[in-house]
Structures are given as C-alpha cells and as structure tokens.
Amino acid sequence: MKKISIVGAGRVGETTAQILAETELCRDIALFDVREDVPEGVALDILQSAPFFKFDGVLSGSNDPHILRDSDLVIVTAGFPRQPGMSRADVLESNVRIIDQVTDHIMTHAPNAMILVVSNPVDTLTYRVAQRTGWGRERVFGQAGVLDASRMASFIAQETGFSTRDITTLVLGGHGDTMVPVTRFCTINGVPIAHFLSKERIAAIVERTRTGGAEILALRKNSSAYDAPGAAVAAMVDAIANNRRRLLPCVALLDGEYGETDIAMGVPCILGERGVESVVTLDLNAEERADFQRSAQAVRIDIERLNML
C-alpha cells in the first residue's frame, strides 16, 4: 500500500502509527484529527524516533480531511473513550455522530480505500460504516477478535508458563461482555489447552478475556488500553499490506454465515490484499452456537438503538 491514513490521533491512533512506521508497512502515513495541531505534533514526534528505530517514511498530520486523499486504507480510531464503569455500548450515541462525519470524509477524499474500524462499539460502528458507504464487506471491516485473542493468549501464557509464540487462540462474536472465546480451538503448539489446564482455570481465563479491556481501564483509571489495540491493528495491516491471507477473527458483515444476516460481528476471516477475502464458517457445537447467538443478540440491540439515532 502506498498510503495509510489514521483518523484519530489519540493514544490508539498514535500507537498504531508508531508501529506501522517502525515496521515500515507503509512509507506514507497520515494522521487526521479535529483537535488543532495535535495530529501534526504526533506525526512530528514519531518522525523524530526514526533514527532510533531505523525506519524511513513520511508521516504527516492535519485537521483538514483532505489529508485522507488517495489513501489505500483508512484506520478509524476516533471517538469518545469509555470511562471506568462504562460498557463499550455506552459510547454509541456519542461516537456514531463522529463516525458518520468521518465516513463522509473518507467517501469524499478516499473513495477507493478500505476502512478498518477500531472505534467502539466496533461491531455496531462497522455496520454503520458499511451501511453509510454501501461498500462490500471486503472493504469495510473491524478490529476486535485479534485483540481479544491476543489477550486470551497472554492469560494462558501467564497461567501455564509456556511461550506466547506457541499459543493459538480464537475469539468470536461481539466485542463486549458476550464475546465468545472458543476454547476448543485454543492450543499450545497444536495441543488443546485442556491438556494443561483444568476446566475451572479455563473458565476463569474465558471470563478474564471477556473483561480484559475493562480490567485495564479500571487499573489505568484515566485511559483505556492502547498498546495491545495498536499492535492488533498493525497485525491486520501486515496481513493486508503483504497479502499474507491470514486467518484472523475480524468484525465482518454476515450474509448467512453462522445463521446471521444484516449484522457485523467477529468471525474468522481470510485477510489479504483485497481486505476480507472470505468468511470461514466453523462447525460450532451446541454450546458454542448458543453463545454466538447470545452475542449476536447483544449486537442487534445496539444496531436497533443505532437505527433510532
């Protein structure tokens, strides 16, 4: 990709830009934010770290949406962060207004771009962007499952002492308290985690995964997570930029998969240079299907609220 733009120069946007610059996934990175001078300052700060991390490239920032022009990919991190005690759904009404405006800017200045939504509630806002643009699911998708799976993998590593390099996890469903960590597909170098952990410990890890973002928010008090979310976004960008065709859990529009339509939520996707190339439908057992349907219902409640705004 020739150009990647990041909407929102807050902590997630800045961390994402830093990682993308360091890994040289794109030489032209643009930051757009409505706060005066902030995106310019973030871009300049990252550029001045180049001699230490040995990367080249162009980083720029602006309050003018024209900076989005000719982007191949636009990453949307803008929005009001949740505060301690709030759910991701609690910021829906505030953030949908921001997302609508951002979407219009993208359609005007980068009509051929792919859009990666990070702002919360990500499932509902991904649905909104797709609805507003009319673009297909290959071009409009969201980040959630990659982050949730990495959190789960880190918890398993802490519990077992094994290297995170050997741990594979899978989290489906909505990015919230009803997310579905599918433990049957979680392994340590191919060996199911049930071989190493009791049912009680696995259940505790599942619950901690579901509340992983809230745990960090409660500890930080003045900020939600941004290091791991930025790294999760960068992993998705790497899959697209290098056409790796990785199997990653992404927020995607569903068209009959898992028995769901007219909804966006986390499912296994093949992610490559064209964005979401396909959705992989797993053969879930009865318990997993019930959990997935429960998660879908929670997302639908937010979509219904969205349609009334």
Side-chain angles (χ1 to χ4, degrees):
M1 289 184 288
K2 294 181 179 179
K3 181 177 181 180
I4 296 174
S5 292
I6 300 171
V7 179
R11 286 173 167 168
V12 174
E14 180 172 356
T15 302
T16 300
Q18 179 76 53
I19 297 173
L20 295 184
E22 288 180 23
T23 53
E24 296 189 311
L25 286 172
C26 184
R27 291 182 63 87
D28 187 352
I29 300 171
L31 287 150
F32 168 61
D33 196 295
V34 295
R35 293 173 297 168
E36 188 175 357
D37 297 331
V38 169
E40 292 94 331
V42 170
L44 186 59
D45 193 17
I46 294 173
L47 270 176
Q48 291 171 2
S49 72
F52 300 107
F53 295 107
K54 308 300 181 185
F55 65 83
D56 297 306
V58 177
L59 279 92
S60 56
S62 179
N63 308 128
D64 187 338
H66 191 254
I67 198 172
L68 304 174
R69 67 189 183 282
D70 301 327
S71 298
D72 297 300
L73 171 68
V74 179
I75 301 166
V76 182
T77 69
F80 290 99
R82 58 179 176 151
Q83 301 299 317
M86 295 175 66
S87 72
R88 295 177 179 91
D90 290 335
V91 293
L92 174 59
E93 187 170 346
S94 300
N95 284 348
V96 70
R97 298 189 185 96
I98 296 171
I99 288 298
D100 283 353
Q101 187 175 49
V102 167
T103 302
D104 292 345
H105 288 326
I106 296 171
M107 293 174 70
T108 298
H109 299 289
N112 298 313
M114 291 177 278
I115 303 176
L116 170 51
V117 181
V118 184
S119 309
N120 278 314
V122 65
D123 307 276
T124 311
L125 295 182
T126 300
Y127 177 89
R128 179 71 164 204
V129 173
Q131 185 184 55
R132 197 170 182 88
T133 60
W135 298 351
R137 73 178 177 192
E138 71 280 358
R139 292 179 62 191
V140 179
F141 44 91
Q143 191 292 119
V146 176
L147 171 61
D148 296 327
S150 74
R151 284 175 171 158
M152 188 176 187
S154 73
F155 297 149
I156 292 171
Q158 291 172 36
E159 187 75 23
T160 63
F162 287 119
S163 170
T164 54
R165 296 186 180 195
D166 293 332
I167 299 173
T168 301
T169 54
L170 180 64
V171 180
L172 308 180
H175 185 51
D177 295 341
T178 62
M179 68 179 68
V180 187
V182 190
T183 59
R184 191 161 55 96
F185 294 103
C186 298
T187 64
I188 300 174
N189 207 10
V191 179
I193 60 171
H195 183 80
F196 304 100
L197 296 168
S198 67
K199 289 183 179 179
E200 293 75 18
R201 294 315 305 154
I202 291 174
I205 288 171
V206 166
E207 182 58 28
R208 193 178 181 193
T209 300
R210 286 177 172 149
T211 60
E215 180 181 3
I216 291 173
L217 179 60
L219 291 168
R220 284 187 181 272
K221 296 180 177 59
N222 64 349
S223 169
S224 55
Y226 53 89
D227 289 319
V233 173
M236 294 178 70
V237 174
D238 174 70
I240 298 167
N242 291 302
N243 193 29
R244 297 193 188 279
R245 303 193 75 249
R246 291 192 65 188
L247 178 61
L248 296 172
C250 308
V251 177
L253 291 166
L254 299 185
D255 186 20
E257 297 89 355
Y258 298 93
E260 301 291 341
T261 57
D262 196 32
I263 193 172
M265 55 192 302
V267 289
C269 297
I270 304 297
L271 200 61
E273 64 182 355
R274 296 189 302 276
V276 173
E277 296 184 4
S278 62
V279 170
V280 176
T281 305
L282 301 174
D283 185 15
L284 301 180
N285 61 32
E287 182 180 357
E288 292 160 352
R289 280 198 305 274
D291 287 344
F292 190 88
Q293 289 167 356
R294 212 164 18 246
S295 189
Q297 182 56 33
V299 175
R300 287 195 185 282
I301 290 172
D302 275 353
I303 290 176
E304 289 172 4
R305 285 179 56 208
L306 180 73
N307 291 332
M308 292 188 291
L309 295 177

